[in-house]
Amino acid sequence: MSEMRHNWTKQEILDIYNKPLMELLYEAATIHRENHDPNTVQVSTLLSIKTGGCPEDCGYCPQAARYHTDIEGNDLMTVSHVKAQALRAKASGSSRVCMGAAWRNVKDGPEFDQVLEMVRTINKLDMEVCCTLGMITENQANRLAEAGLYAYNHNLDTSEDYYKDVISTRAFEDRLETIDNVRKSNVTVCSGGIIGMGEELEDRAGMLVALTSLNPQPESVPINALVAIEGTPMEDMEPIAIWDMIRMVATTRIVMPETQVRLSAGRTEMSREGQAMCFFAGANSIFAGDKLLTTPNPDVNEDMEMFKLLGLNPQKPFTKVSQPKTVEAEDSQLQPLGEKPKWTRPNHKIERNEEAKEKSKVLK
């Protein structure tokens, strides 16, 4: 088995990333086979349970209230609607449901209680449950764990150095603090980032330095290719080449041998051959369904045809970590604390974000 390291340097990771492609693929595939079944890929379904109206200014995100996009906002879904979607996902081969809400941070109250009930409901369907709800406190993480949450997603997005060029409404440290709060519970961590936002290769390496430095390392790392949405500050970004995605997946696999590497947003721009090379390089999870929150995604039937062509099998739930127990609301030992944490609001402006904001005012 490959050595688990938490002291990778940026230069070491860049040296791996820039290896001749055939050497890089061979090394990544070898490490992948040492730690995972190369013919098994987890299929997850990402469900937007509350869409649009987010107060953040993330330059890549069409759900930010300050930008003018074609995203149709909706209030928090009902528990019954979420259950129906989860059953549909399970029938199509998904073993995990990831629920995303366009919130800056979780606030105690009726809506969070409703999310907790969603977690209980899906866990009882014998599916892994993941949430991405923004920043959370330690008590909120424990309440999610008590409800039966399997994983919490909170992406670093990019390197600490480039972060300030993407987002101005929260700090990189807030991301790390939220991950730390999740780690204090029994919930696994899902954290990765996006490539193709105008970052340098050093930033991709820097993001991996931050992720590998976490102890333990995240159980899953999504690697997203930017999907440039009209109306966002990054609407004019060119799609990244498939070779960048392959190299990023392979490098992630090498420096995080036990982690599930998730081939996430941007798959609609990838050929089957490109995706196959990503699987060979160490990706062993995809998101299925026609939407990733709000961005396009391949149809699940197309994915199942690809799996059949490549001889891949969907991973069963709770293969890596055992199923959490669900504590019913009436039996809960934890109470909402009504916390009002002082999450950071950095005092700087990002020119392209401000331009998109002003353009939005005119269009609205």
Side-chain angles (χ1 to χ4, degrees), residues 8 19 52 96 102 137 151 262 274 319 345-346:
W8 289 96
K19 280 187 175 187
R96 176 183 289 198
T137 66
R262 301 187 178 278
T319 299
R345 290 188 182 274

Side-chain angles (χ1 to χ4, degrees), residues 213-285:
S213 297
L214 297 173
N215 194 2
Q217 292 176 354
E219 282 80 2
S220 66
V221 171
I223 302 297
N224 297 276
L226 176 70
V227 178
I229 304 295
E230 186 177 357
T232 65
M234 296 185 177
E235 64 180 1
D236 294 324
M237 289 289 181
E238 292 294 324
I240 63 163
I242 185 62
W243 308 112
D244 292 305
M245 200 69 176
I246 293 167
R247 285 186 178 277
M248 191 66 183
V249 166
T251 304
T252 304
R253 169 53 65 226
I254 291 167
V255 299
M256 286 187 272
E258 295 181 11
T259 291
Q260 289 213 249
V261 179
R262 301 187 178 278
L263 191 59
S264 300
R267 287 200 300 119
T268 54
E269 300 299 318
M270 301 178 199
S271 67
R272 284 184 174 177
E273 294 84 353
Q275 292 180 69
M277 290 192 74
C278 286
F279 294 134
F280 183 73
N284 57 347
S285 178

